[in-house]
């Protein structure tokens, strides 16, 4: 990752860590930007004795949080969260986001849905005028439904592909043991329609469009400053 982008992501990660106060119950996102927030939170726990606990959104964030000394919990033990933070792949002006480059979108959405505040951490490059123009939409599926779901995505105007493993033969297997389809659109003009169709398709577990969930977006800039978008 280029140094300037890293600095921007770190700025957003540190900013959300600075918003956390003792007693908060947190959702811990997945990806390189969320990882910087987890690390910054770990530093505060160590230096200030901050008392928090967090629900991780993936095996990756669980392992990192443990390394950083963040006490972990589950939604069974802690069903209401004060704040969840996470990265994103695309963010539009209506606070709709696409997530799931790291294949964690299903758990990320479950955790975000339990949080009073859902804070998205990005660098400027993730802001888009039109959704679905830069990154594919990840769709998590039961493997036997691959072809029927791909046909639904084609009917929605997308070009779907099964996400394949790197340093592993065959499809990527999610933390749930499922497959991911990456659906490239020219543009997602009607996210609500795509959401409805996908959630009504047997074999689809969830997808990476997050609609009406985000409360704040922290945009890290390469000079280390942070711009905030808050949804009223
Ligand atoms: C993982 C995600 C990530 O949060 C998203 O891909 C952003 O990642 P990064 O902060 O590394 O750019 O949705 O499933």
């Amino acid at each position: 990752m280029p140094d300037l982008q890293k600095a921007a992501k770190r700025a957003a990660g540190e900013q959300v860590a600075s918003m956390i106060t003792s007693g908060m119950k947190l959702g811990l996102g997945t990806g390189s930007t969320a990882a910087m927030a987890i690390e910054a939170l770990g530093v505060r726990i160590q230096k200030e004795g901050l008392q928090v606990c967090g629900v991780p959104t993936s095996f990756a964030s669980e392992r990192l949080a443990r390394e950083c000394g963040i006490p972990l919990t589950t939604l069974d033990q802690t069903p209401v969260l004060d704040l969840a933070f996470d990265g994103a792949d695309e963010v539009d002006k209506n606070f709709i986001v696409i997530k799931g480059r790291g294949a964690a979108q299903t758990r990320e959405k479950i955790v975000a849905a339990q949080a009073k505040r859902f804070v998205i951490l990005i660098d400027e490059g993730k802001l888009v005028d039109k959704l679905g123009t830069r990154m594919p939409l990840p769709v998590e599926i039961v493997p036997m439904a691959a072809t029927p779901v791909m046909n639904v995505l084609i009917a929605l105007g997308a070009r779907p592909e099964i996400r394949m493993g790197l340093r592993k033969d065959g499809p990527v297997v999610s933390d749930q043991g499922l497959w991911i389809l990456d659906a490239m659109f020219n543009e997602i003009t009607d996210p609500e329609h795509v959401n409805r169709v996908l959630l009504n398709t047997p074999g689809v577990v969830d997808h990476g469009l997050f609609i009406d969930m985000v409360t704040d977006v922290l945009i890290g800039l390469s000079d280390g400053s942070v711009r905030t978008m808050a949804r009223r």
Side-chain angles (χ1 to χ4, degrees), residues 4-13 15 33 120-127 217-228:
L4 287 178
Q5 191 186 17
K6 209 175 191 170
K9 288 184 175 197
R10 189 167 299 287
Q15 175 90 1
T33 321
I120 285 288
L121 314 171
I122 52 167
D123 60 80
E124 263 189 311
K126 307 279 185 71
L127 288 173
V217 180
L218 302 184
I219 307 154
L221 307 176
S222 50
D223 65 1
S225 61
V226 176
R227 192 150 67 80
T228 303

Side-chain angles (χ1 to χ4, degrees), residues 100-105 136 138 161-165 170-173 180-182:
R101 178 207 46 76
Q105 69 283 342
E161 282 177 3
I162 297 173
R163 190 180 298 184
M164 302 306 276
V172 164
V173 177
I180 306 293
L181 299 178
D182 281 317

Side-chain angles (χ1 to χ4, degrees), residues 1 5 9 29-35 57-58 85-90 98-106 108 120-123 126 135 138 163 208 210:
M1 188 191 314
Q5 191 186 17
K9 288 184 175 197
T30 297
S32 58
T33 321
T57 52
S58 60
F85 59 79
D86 214 327
D89 303 312
E90 289 188 0
I98 291 182
K99 292 183 45 53
R101 178 207 46 76
Q105 69 283 342
T106 297
E108 290 172 330
I120 285 288
L121 314 171
I122 52 167
D123 60 80
K126 307 279 185 71
M135 294 292 283
R163 190 180 298 184
F210 287 49

Side-chain angles (χ1 to χ4, degrees), residues 59-106:
F59 294 145
S61 66
E62 180 177 338
R63 287 171 63 86
L64 179 63
R66 210 169 260 132
E67 272 171 38
C68 294
I70 300 173
L72 296 176
T73 182
T74 64
L75 291 179
D76 290 329
Q77 294 163 313
T78 315
V80 180
L81 304 174
D82 298 294
L83 182 152
F85 59 79
D86 214 327
D89 303 312
E90 289 188 0
V91 179
D92 82 355
K93 62 177 186 320
N94 299 316
F95 292 78
I96 300 179
V97 307
I98 291 182
K99 292 183 45 53
R101 178 207 46 76
Q105 69 283 342
T106 297

Side-chain angles (χ1 to χ4, degrees), residues 27-30 55-58 75 79 81 84-87 96-100 103-115 118 120 137-140 176 191-192 194-196 198-199 204-214:
L28 308 174
T30 297
V55 179
T57 52
S58 60
L75 291 179
L81 304 174
F85 59 79
D86 214 327
I96 300 179
V97 307
I98 291 182
K99 292 183 45 53
Q105 69 283 342
T106 297
R107 288 191 192 200
E108 290 172 330
K109 201 181 280 184
I110 294 169
V111 170
Q114 309 315 314
F118 180 38
I120 285 288
L137 176 67
V139 181
E140 185 158 4
Q176 287 69 247
E192 280 85 2
V194 171
N195 175 51
R196 260 193 317 272
L198 287 176
L199 294 184
V204 171
V205 176
D206 213 328
H207 59 77
L209 265 174
F210 287 49
I211 301 174
D212 256 341
M213 297 185 80
V214 176

